[in-house]
């Protein structure tokens, strides 16, 4: 991950044309990184991760992997849902938060970044305060919000 947010934004600007427009807009949206925005991933808590090997009777040996990550918004007023499609690889590393056991393994996101692999796949890396992390290499990434009513 980049040492600073400004270095990350500089990387994104340099590679702007290599990203799908919706992914670029998500990645550079200050509200997705801002400590005070209800739309930020910062300080959200993991609710669930679902990994699917989408198969059916006509293509049982050609699964289409997807991952869905659901995060409880920092103000506890919404779910932020990340949907990864065309998944090439993923890594989930858990570590207990020694500073706050209530955060468990994946509570309190510290930062996240979207980058490109050499092969031009997307990689979304999420780092938690507990030193846990999630990284997904995929063809596409969608971010949705489900406010609580």
């Amino acid at each position: 991950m980049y040492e600073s947010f400004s270095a990350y934004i500089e990387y994104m600007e340099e590679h702007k044309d290599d990203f799908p427009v919706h992914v670029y807009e998500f990645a550079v949206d200050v509200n997705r990184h801002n400590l005070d925005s209800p739309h930020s991933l910062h300080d959200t808590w993991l609710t669930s991760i679902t990994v699917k090997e989408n198969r059916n009777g006509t293509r049982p040996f050609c699964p289409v992997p997807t991952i869905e990550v659901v995060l409880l918004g920092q103000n506890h007023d919404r779910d932020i849902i990340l949907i990864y499609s065309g998944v090439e690889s993923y890594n989930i590393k858990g570590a207990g938060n020694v500073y706050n056991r209530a955060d468990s393994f994946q509570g309190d996101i510290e930062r996240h970044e979207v980058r490109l692999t050499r092969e031009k796949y997307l990689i979304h890396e999420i780092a938690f305060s507990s030193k846990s992390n999630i990284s997904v290499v995929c063809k596409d990434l969608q971010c949705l919000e489900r406010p609580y009513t």
Side-chain angles (χ1 to χ4, degrees), residues 5-39:
F5 186 67
S6 58
Y8 169 62
I9 293 300
E10 186 177 310
Y11 165 83
M12 292 302 298
E13 290 296 323
E14 287 174 17
H15 299 280
K16 180 178 183 176
D17 295 336
D18 297 324
F19 288 94
V21 172
H22 67 280
V23 174
Y24 176 81
E25 289 173 352
F26 163 78
V28 300
D29 184 349
V30 174
N31 289 319
R32 295 292 179 191
H33 301 271
N34 185 332
L35 304 179
D36 298 320
S37 173
H39 308 286

Side-chain angles (χ1 to χ4, degrees), residues 45-47 70-81 145-149:
W45 295 341
L46 177 72
T47 300
V70 179
L71 304 166
L72 174 62
Q74 63 172 269
N75 294 333
H76 306 167
D77 64 346
R78 70 193 65 225
D79 285 332
I80 298 174
I81 304 149
E145 289 193 22
R146 184 174 44 226
Y148 298 158
T149 54

Side-chain angles (χ1 to χ4, degrees), residues 75-143:
N75 294 333
H76 306 167
D77 64 346
R78 70 193 65 225
D79 285 332
I80 298 174
I81 304 149
L82 303 170
I83 301 168
Y84 305 93
S85 57
V87 173
E88 292 293 314
S89 66
Y90 63 93
N91 186 25
I92 301 168
K93 176 187 169 208
N97 187 339
V98 297
Y99 303 109
N100 183 357
R101 294 306 291 176
D103 277 351
S104 72
F105 288 84
Q106 285 89 19
D108 203 7
I109 289 179
E110 194 170 86
R111 56 197 283 194
H112 71 102
E113 292 181 354
V114 178
R115 298 183 307 276
L116 294 168
T117 66
R118 287 185 186 145
E119 299 81 17
K120 301 291 184 189
Y121 287 108
L122 304 171
I123 180 167
H124 189 212
E125 187 173 1
I126 301 171
F128 295 85
S129 296
S130 65
K131 305 304 177 211
S132 295
N133 64 50
I134 298 170
S135 64
V136 179
V137 176
C138 61
K139 293 179 181 172
D140 196 21
L141 160 62
Q142 300 285 327
C143 180

